[in-house]
Amino acid sequence: MSLTTTGGMHPRLALTAALALSLPSLAIADEVAPAATETGQTYVAALTSASVDQFIAFDAGAEVGTRLAGPWWGHGSLRVGQAGDSEGSGSHFELRVGAEHQGCNVTGSVCHLVGLDLGFQASTWEKEDMHERHNGPLIAPRLGLDLGGDHLRLRLALEARGYVSAAGGAIPGLGLSAGLAYRL
C-alpha cells in the first residue's frame, strides 16, 4: 500500500517541506524587539497652572528638568500670574524645585509620575485701600502623567499643596498644571 497524498507527495516530505517553509517566520517571531530608544535626558516646558488655597491663582510659567538616575527626574519651575478671591485680587509668583519618579510603559509613550516640589510662594491681595502680602515656603506632593513621543511630551499633574504665610499661618490647597515639554 502506497502512502501518498492526493498530489502525489509523500506525507513525510510534505511535513518536512511545511516545517522548512515555516522556520523563517518562527525565527522572526522569536526575535527580541529592539529596545525603545532612550529619550532625551533634559527637557524644557511651557506650563499653565491653577491653584486654590487662600486665593484662586492662575499662572503661566516655564520648567526645566533633567534625568537624575534611572526613573528619577529633577526639575525647577517659575510660575507667574494673578490671584484673587471674591473681594480683591493681586499677583501670584512661585519658584520651585522638585524630584519625581516616573514609571513608563515599554515604549515610553505613557509615564505616570509621583513627585514632591519645594519652593516659595508670594501673593499680593488688594482691595481699594487695603494691601496684603502672603509670602512663604511651599510644599506640593504631585501625581501626574507624562505622555508623548521621544521629544514632544504633554505633562499633567494634580497636587495637594500647602504654604506657610506669615499673615495667615499654614494654608492647605489643591493645584492642577499642564505643560508642553520638549525633550532635548
Side-chain angles (χ1 to χ4, degrees):
M1 177 155 104
S2 172
L3 296 174
T4 60
T5 61
T6 55
M9 186 180 286
H10 192 276
R12 286 186 196 168
L13 183 58
L15 180 61
T16 303
L19 285 172
L21 291 173
S22 67
L23 284 178
S25 63
L26 291 174
I28 291 171
D30 289 341
E31 287 182 12
V32 175
T37 58
E38 188 67 28
T39 55
Q41 302 296 307
T42 302
Y43 71 86
V44 293
L47 60 91
T48 60
S49 62
S51 61
V52 176
D53 46 39
Q54 187 171 5
F55 304 105
I56 298 172
F58 296 100
D59 298 323
E63 182 172 86
V64 176
T66 188
R67 185 183 304 267
L68 301 173
W72 290 96
W73 290 76
H75 60 261
S77 67
L78 172 68
R79 304 169 186 210
V80 178
Q82 295 293 310
D85 61 14
S86 62
E87 297 180 22
S89 64
S91 63
H92 187 255
F93 168 86
E94 290 182 15
L95 183 61
R96 298 176 172 204
V97 295
E100 65 188 38
H101 182 275
Q102 289 188 8
C104 301
N105 66 356
V106 174
T107 63
S109 61
V110 177
C111 303
H112 68 276
L113 61 94
V114 176
L116 179 68
D117 286 1
L118 300 173
F120 182 78
Q121 174 176 311
S123 296
T124 61
W125 180 87
E126 299 176 1
K127 177 185 173 185
E128 299 171 7
D129 291 339
M130 296 174 59
H131 303 280
E132 295 179 7
R133 293 187 186 275
H134 298 272
N135 303 337
L138 170 74
I139 185 168
R142 305 170 350 126
L143 295 173
L145 294 172
D146 184 317
L147 313 164
D150 287 346
H151 297 288
L152 197 58
R153 312 282 297 178
L154 175 63
R155 293 177 50 83
L156 305 167
L158 172 65
E159 60 188 35
R161 52 184 281 129
Y163 80 101
V164 179
S165 170
I171 311 291
L174 294 173
L176 289 170
S177 65
L180 189 59
Y182 186 81
R183 287 191 182 173
L184 307 172

